[in-house]
């Protein structure tokens, strides 16, 4: 009986069989000294209750008792709980007591003392000395808390302490993140001085600091860091980290809408020296990027500092040619995209026909970032310099749903697409051929060419869109619907967002993650674009999936059959369950066109769903993967009303059921009946279905706890 004990409440006590359980003391009846002393109890739940009672009482007489316990208790848990209890009582914590706790024998007490210092104002020199010694503590969690907490103070020694932690943890990404979260305008110079004060300087750390100084717009720190980043090596060249650091600095300027020339002018006389160093680096980068003798990785590092001046176009144009390694072409294309000059767009379009498929996708993404370049791309299509099939489906869709009506209208004419295409009808036309299956080897090639930019299957592709391995419905119908009608049911997390920056650059992708200050868009091939919120002029979501409509232009029905066959051969398909009397078959309509569906003609899949013998119903419908599928023969294309006969107890009511066929679906909340033995019939909704064989799916919209309901039958009736 899975509901046994439901009348016993939510709090349970689990005890061993045999021994008499220990009695639970009534802490609310204890005198104050006894209640404070109870914080040394070995049971964590009881310590928590004691702390709650002490804080609720807010008795100032407890303060001296608790302070004595912090100093004298032999149990570190008791000392820690006493310290944190003082934090909950007004006037309980003292800077002196917390400072003493920084030297506690146990690291957890020291760690919480560091945390509690944040609320006690500026530390004195003695406390700062103790904090400084903690930078060498053997406990990593303590050092991490130290890095997070000291940034709250404006003490002049904080910067040196952060710099010391950073030097010691140059290869620890979590510790560096904590340090950088505490770096501010006030302490950055001291952090920099501490890090560079030594015979060897962690170069990766300098790169991180340069990014932080750029974000804070700390001019003196930027000059100091750029001087180191642009200092040539003994052979006159530069290291990869130097190119990378300068690239991040230049990108930050571009994203804030400021040019390098503007920034140098702000520096005044101090900018002359930095400019000479930068120009020397740029010249070296051009030579290295064009050197066939250099390694591809070094050439790519050099290319990444280019693209901030129209003068770089000549070099980048040579690196963009098909004779160059593809990785170098890709880096050069991205650098060209940073140049706003119209000649940059012309360079991309002139070379478009010589690009491979992956590079074309990247080139389209670059061209679509700027509105003026969208016009150039459409102009090339209108003048037949490019054919509509030269663009991938995602790029075509971005033009067809562009926020400017003029762009949408031009794109619709160029691609000769009726935007009101009945996609359900298209799915129905493809299905008979797809069901026959196709050549999986050809499907593999199509997946690599058409799908791998956004979907991963095994070791092939990029995980941008839904995980094909975790799809609940992997039928041929579901897959061909997803390919040809991707916007039929778009999950919120795969909705396309378009961000326009204040500098006029457009980025599109799914919203991968966001914080209070930034967001990340993930586009095709898993490429991520990180944007600060203060850089964004406009952010809009669409009702469209990242997966584009119009793939029928690239996939014939036989191509779709091959693609679906390949996918189904490489994903784990659900096992159909078997029950006495259950024999899946094609269900026919009666003389009046009514189709009655029972559990015994259905394909049944899932973890918990069963056919219950007593009522001949689908019961124990409690898992997200519990799915029922009927194959039905629709005699006449028409709208059908869908009814079901079900039972559902009050405690289970409120889940939602989805009815789906040929990509058309509706979702309905499941109501209650008078218990699990009371069956009622109700209309769920309507579906418009074409004539012929159709697979109708009944599934929960999300995991239905405790159960979706007990279903005896589903009936489709012709609408009058």
């Amino acid at each position: 009986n899975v509901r046994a004990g439901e009348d016993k409440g939510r709090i349970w006590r689990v005890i061993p069989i045999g021994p008499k359980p220990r009695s639970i003391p009534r802490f609310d009846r204890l005198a104050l000294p006894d209640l404070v002393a109870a914080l040394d109890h070995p049971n964590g739940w009881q310590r928590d209750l004691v702390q709650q009672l002490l804080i609720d009482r807010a008795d100032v007489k407890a303060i001296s008792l608790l302070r004595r316990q912090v100093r004298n208790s032999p149990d570190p848990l008791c000392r820690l709980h006493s310290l944190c209890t003082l934090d909950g009582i007004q006037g309980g914590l003292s800077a002196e007591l917390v400072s003493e706790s920084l030297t506690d024998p146990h690291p957890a007490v020291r760690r919480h003392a560091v945390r509690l210092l944040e609320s006690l104002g500026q530390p004195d020199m003695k406390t700062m000395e103790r904090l400084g010694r903690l930078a060498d503590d053997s406990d990593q969690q303590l050092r991490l808390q130290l890095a997070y907490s000291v940034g709250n103070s404006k003490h002049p020694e904080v910067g040196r302490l952060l710099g010391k932690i950073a030097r010691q943890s140059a290869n620890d990404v979590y510790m560096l993140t904590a340090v950088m979260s505490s770096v501010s305008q006030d302490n950055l110079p001291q952090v920099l001085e501490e890090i560079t004060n030594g015979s060897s300087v962690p170069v990766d750390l300098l790169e991180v600091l340069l990014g932080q100084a750029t974000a804070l717009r700390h001019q003196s720190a930027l000059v100091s860091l750029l001087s180191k980043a642009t200092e040539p090596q003994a052979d006159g060249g530069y290291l990869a980290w130097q190119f990378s650091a300068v690239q991040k600095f230049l990108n930050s300027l571009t994203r804030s809408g400021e040019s390098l020339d503007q920034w140098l002018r702000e520096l005044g006389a101090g900018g002359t020296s930095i400019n000479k160093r930068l120009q020397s680096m740029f010249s070296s980068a051009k030579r290295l990027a064009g050197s066939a003798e250099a390694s591809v990785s070094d050439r790519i590092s050099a290319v990444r500092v280019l693209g901030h001046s129209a003068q770089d176009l000549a070099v980048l144009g040579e690196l963009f040619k098909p004779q160059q390694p593809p990785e170098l072409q890709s880096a050069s294309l991205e650098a060209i995209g940073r140049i706003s000059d119209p000649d940059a767009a012309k360079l991309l379009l002139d070379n478009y026909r010589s690009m491979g498929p992956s590079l074309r996708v990247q080139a389209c993404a670059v061209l679509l970032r700027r509105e003026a370049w969208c016009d150039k791309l459409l102009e090339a299509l209108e003048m037949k310099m490019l054919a509509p099939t030269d663009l991938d489906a995602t790029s075509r869709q971005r033009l067809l749903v562009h926020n400017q009506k003029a762009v949408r209208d031009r794109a619709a004419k160029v691609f000769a697409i009726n935007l009101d295409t009945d996609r359900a009808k298209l799915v129905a036309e493809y299905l008979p051929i797809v069901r026959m299956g196709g050549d999986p080897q050809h499907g593999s090639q199509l997946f690599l060419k058409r799908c791998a930019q956004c979907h991963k299957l095994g070791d092939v592709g990029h995980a941008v869109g839904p995980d094909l391995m975790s799809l609940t419905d992997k039928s041929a119908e579901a897959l061909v619907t997803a390919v040809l009608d991707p916007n039929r049911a778009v999950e919120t997390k795969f909705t396309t967002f378009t961000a326009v920056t204040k500098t006029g650059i457009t980025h599109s992708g799914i919203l991968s993650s966001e914080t209070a200050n930034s967001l990340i868009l993930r586009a095709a091939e898993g490429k991520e674009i990180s944007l600060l919120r203060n850089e964004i002029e406009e952010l809009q979501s669409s009702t469209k999936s990242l997966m584009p409509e119009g793939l029928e232009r690239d996939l014939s029905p036989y191509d779709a059959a091959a693609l679906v066959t390949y996918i189904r051969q490489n994903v784990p398909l659900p096992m159909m369950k078997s029950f006495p009397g259950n024999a899946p078959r094609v269900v026919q309509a009666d003389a009046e066109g009514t189709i009655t569906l029972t559990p015994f003609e259905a394909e049944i899949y899932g973890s918990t769903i069963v056919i219950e013998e007593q009522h001949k119903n689908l019961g124990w419908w409690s898992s997200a993967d519990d799915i029922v599928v009927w194959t039905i023969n629709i005699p006449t294309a028409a709208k059908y009303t869908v009814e079901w006969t079900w039972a559902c107890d009050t405690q289970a009511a409120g889940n939602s059921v989805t009815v789906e066929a040929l990509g058309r679906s509706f979702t309905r909340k499941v109501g209650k009946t008078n218990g699990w033995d009371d069956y009622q019939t109700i209309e769920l909704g309507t579906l418009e279905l074409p004539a012929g064989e159709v697979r109708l799916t009944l599934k929960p919209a999300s995991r239905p706890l405790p159960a979706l309901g007990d279903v005896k039958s589903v009936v489709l009736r012709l609408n009058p």
Side-chain angles (χ1 to χ4, degrees):
N1 183 1
V2 297
R3 295 187 176 89
E6 66 180 352
D7 58 335
K8 300 292 191 292
R10 296 183 297 110
I11 300 175
W12 293 69
R13 188 181 188 190
V14 180
I15 60 174
I17 296 173
K20 185 179 179 180
R22 183 173 57 210
S23 62
I24 299 176
R26 289 297 301 266
F27 291 117
D28 57 331
R29 297 175 182 172
L30 292 179
L32 185 64
D34 294 329
L35 187 61
V36 171
L39 279 173
D40 71 348
H41 199 284
N43 184 287
W45 173 82
Q46 295 192 25
R47 286 196 310 275
D48 289 344
L49 180 58
V50 171
Q51 180 177 4
Q52 179 184 333
L53 290 170
L54 286 168
I55 291 174
D56 286 347
R57 290 185 185 183
D59 191 335
V60 294
K61 296 177 182 177
I63 292 176
S64 61
L65 297 171
L66 287 166
R67 288 180 176 177
R68 188 182 307 124
Q69 208 155 249
V70 171
R71 290 186 171 105
N72 301 326
S73 173
D75 181 7
L77 271 173
C78 179
R79 298 198 300 274
L80 176 56
H81 241 127
S82 300
L83 189 64
C84 292
T85 303
L86 284 166
D87 183 40
I89 301 174
Q90 186 172 4
L93 276 184
S94 70
E96 181 185 4
L97 180 67
V98 177
S99 181
E100 289 175 16
S101 297
L102 294 175
T103 63
D104 190 277
H106 198 282
V109 180
R110 299 196 296 273
R111 172 160 54 91
H112 281 274
V114 170
R115 176 181 64 81
L116 293 171
L117 271 177
E118 293 182 24
S119 62
L120 295 175
Q122 297 303 313
D124 56 24
M125 281 305 300
K126 189 172 185 178
T127 301
M128 279 305 304
E129 289 173 6
R130 288 169 172 167
L131 288 171
R133 287 194 289 273
L134 292 182
D136 299 314
D137 198 283
S138 59
D139 188 85
Q140 186 171 11
Q141 280 190 306
L142 191 157
R143 296 198 311 276
L144 191 66
Q145 183 65 58
L146 182 65
Y148 279 126
S149 294
V150 294
N152 191 61
S153 168
K154 295 186 181 299
H155 194 284
E157 291 300 312
V158 163
R160 301 188 189 284
L161 179 54
L162 288 169
K164 182 179 180 181
I165 299 172
R167 278 189 69 93
Q168 294 171 341
S169 312
N171 297 318
D172 186 333
V173 64
Y174 299 105
M175 195 69 74
L176 280 184
T177 301
V179 169
M180 292 306 155
S181 73
S182 292
V183 172
S184 65
Q185 284 275 3
D186 297 320
N187 59 42
L188 179 57
Q190 288 76 33
V191 174
L192 179 58
E193 183 179 342
E194 180 67 27
I195 287 175
T196 57
N197 184 22
S199 55
S200 63
V201 180
V203 293
D204 292 342
L205 194 51
L206 282 180
E207 184 181 341
V208 173
L209 270 178
L210 182 54
Q212 191 80 348
T214 304
L216 294 172
R217 303 311 297 263
H218 198 296
Q219 300 292 49
S220 62
L222 272 174
V223 170
S224 176
L225 285 162
L226 279 172
S227 296
K228 292 185 179 296
T230 56
E231 185 176 351
Q233 301 301 304
D235 61 358
Y238 299 86
L239 300 175
W241 78 266
Q242 294 177 287
F243 286 132
S244 178
V246 171
Q247 172 214 356
K248 290 179 180 177
F249 164 69
L250 294 172
N251 285 348
S252 178
L253 285 181
T254 301
R255 288 164 60 167
S256 65
E258 185 177 7
S259 69
L260 177 61
D261 289 340
Q262 288 174 310
W263 182 77
L264 289 169
R265 281 197 297 271
E266 286 179 15
L267 288 182
T272 304
S273 174
I274 290 295
N275 188 32
K276 286 181 179 178
R277 283 175 172 265
L278 285 169
Q279 295 307 320
S280 176
M281 174 181 270
F282 296 154
S283 298
S284 177
K286 291 177 184 179
R287 290 192 299 271
L288 178 58
S291 171
E293 289 75 29
S295 68
V296 173
S297 61
D298 285 345
R299 297 175 72 187
I300 289 173
S301 295
V303 165
R304 285 177 177 156
V305 299
L306 303 179
H308 296 277
S309 167
Q311 297 174 354
D312 297 340
L313 275 177
V315 173
L316 293 171
E318 290 298 315
L319 300 175
F320 191 52
K321 292 184 175 177
Q323 293 80 9
Q324 300 289 354
E327 303 93 332
L328 187 61
Q329 291 184 62
S330 177
S332 302
L333 195 158
E334 197 62 35
I336 292 169
R338 291 193 285 268
I339 302 172
S340 59
D341 193 287
D343 286 343
K346 184 177 185 302
L347 177 62
L348 294 180
L349 291 168
D350 287 347
N351 289 274
Y352 193 91
R353 285 287 179 86
S354 65
M355 301 180 200
S358 177
L359 213 57
R360 287 188 179 193
V361 171
Q362 185 182 353
C364 280
V366 168
L367 288 165
L368 292 172
R369 287 178 194 166
R370 304 175 192 271
E371 196 168 318
W373 290 13
C374 283
D375 291 337
K376 295 287 185 184
L377 178 58
L378 286 167
E379 186 179 310
L381 289 162
E382 290 164 344
M383 296 177 64
K384 311 297 184 186
M385 292 172 54
L386 298 180
T389 52
D390 286 333
L391 273 65
D392 63 287
T394 300
S395 299
R396 294 199 298 264
Q397 176 161 292
R398 284 186 62 183
L399 287 167
L400 288 165
V401 298
H402 198 276
N403 58 356
Q404 297 293 328
K405 185 177 184 300
V407 173
R408 295 197 300 271
D409 292 344
R410 288 175 70 187
K413 290 179 182 178
V414 165
F415 300 130
I417 285 178
N418 177 7
L419 297 180
D420 297 323
T421 299
D422 186 345
R423 310 213 71 78
K425 181 180 177 183
L426 188 66
V427 170
E429 291 173 356
Y430 270 63
L431 265 178
I433 296 174
V434 172
R435 284 178 179 148
M436 293 166 56
D439 177 9
Q441 187 173 352
H442 179 49
S444 171
Q445 296 168 351
L446 288 168
F447 182 87
L448 188 62
K449 183 177 181 181
R450 304 291 181 194
C451 311
Q453 297 168 19
C454 294
H455 293 285
K456 190 167 186 178
L457 192 57
D459 295 328
V460 178
H462 303 271
V464 180
D467 182 357
L468 298 180
M469 292 290 187
S470 64
L471 294 178
T472 54
D473 188 354
K474 303 180 178 80
S475 65
E477 288 76 6
L479 291 174
V480 77
T481 300
V483 170
L484 298 177
D485 195 5
N487 297 308
R488 175 63 60 185
V490 184
E491 286 188 65
T492 304
K493 63 182 178 180
F494 297 118
T495 298
T496 302
F497 280 78
T498 299
V500 181
T501 67
K502 292 177 180 177
T503 56
I505 305 298
T506 301
H507 301 282
S508 286
I510 62 171
L511 191 57
S512 172
S513 64
E514 56 180 331
T515 67
N517 299 318
S518 65
L519 57 85
I520 295 176
L521 295 179
R522 183 179 297 146
E525 297 186 341
K527 293 181 178 177
E528 293 190 337
I529 304 103
S530 178
L531 298 170
L532 295 175
R533 291 190 183 275
N534 60 14
E535 297 174 351
I536 299 172
E537 182 73 30
E538 182 181 0
L539 179 68
Q540 287 188 341
S541 66
S542 76
T543 58
K544 299 290 187 181
S545 164
L546 186 63
M547 185 167 175
E549 289 183 349
L551 282 173
E552 67 275 8
R553 296 176 64 92
D554 304 319
L555 293 172
S556 70
Y558 295 98
D559 288 335
L563 179 61
V564 168
T565 300
Y566 167 71
I567 293 173
R568 283 172 57 83
Q569 283 188 2
N570 287 275
V571 298
L573 298 178
M575 294 293 293
M576 188 168 66
K577 303 178 90 167
S578 177
F579 302 96
N582 172 243
R585 61 181 177 82
V586 178
V587 182
Q588 306 291 338
D590 64 16
E592 296 179 353
T594 300
I595 303 169
T596 302
L597 307 173
T598 74
F600 297 99
E601 301 94 17
E603 299 173 22
I604 302 171
Y605 305 91
S607 303
T608 55
I609 190 169
V610 298
I611 295 180
E612 294 185 296
E613 180 63 30
Q614 180 183 358
H615 293 294
K616 307 292 190 284
N617 64 282
L618 295 161
W620 293 101
W621 203 325
S622 305
S623 301
D625 63 345
D626 287 342
I627 295 174
V628 182
V629 182
W630 287 276
T631 302
I632 54 182
N633 188 18
I634 302 294
T636 307
K639 279 189 176 180
Y640 286 81
T641 298
V642 182
E643 301 173 351
W644 77 347
T645 300
W646 95 109
C648 187
D649 188 75
T650 302
Q651 290 183 331
N655 293 296
S656 294
V657 63
T658 297
V659 182
E660 183 178 78
L662 291 176
R664 299 191 172 189
S665 65
F666 61 82
T667 298
R668 172 76 180 265
K669 186 169 285 189
V670 179
K672 66 179 180 179
T673 65
N674 297 317
W676 293 109
D677 296 324
D678 176 46
Y679 283 83
Q680 299 179 19
T681 300
I682 193 173
E683 179 183 320
L684 290 177
T686 60
L687 283 175
E688 186 169 353
L689 301 173
E693 279 193 14
V694 171
R695 286 170 64 85
L696 184 137
T697 301
L698 202 65
K699 60 184 179 181
S702 59
R703 187 180 180 188
L705 292 176
L708 183 68
D710 290 349
V711 181
K712 187 171 282 190
S713 65
V714 176
V715 175
L716 277 69
R717 300 186 190 279
L718 269 170
N719 274 14

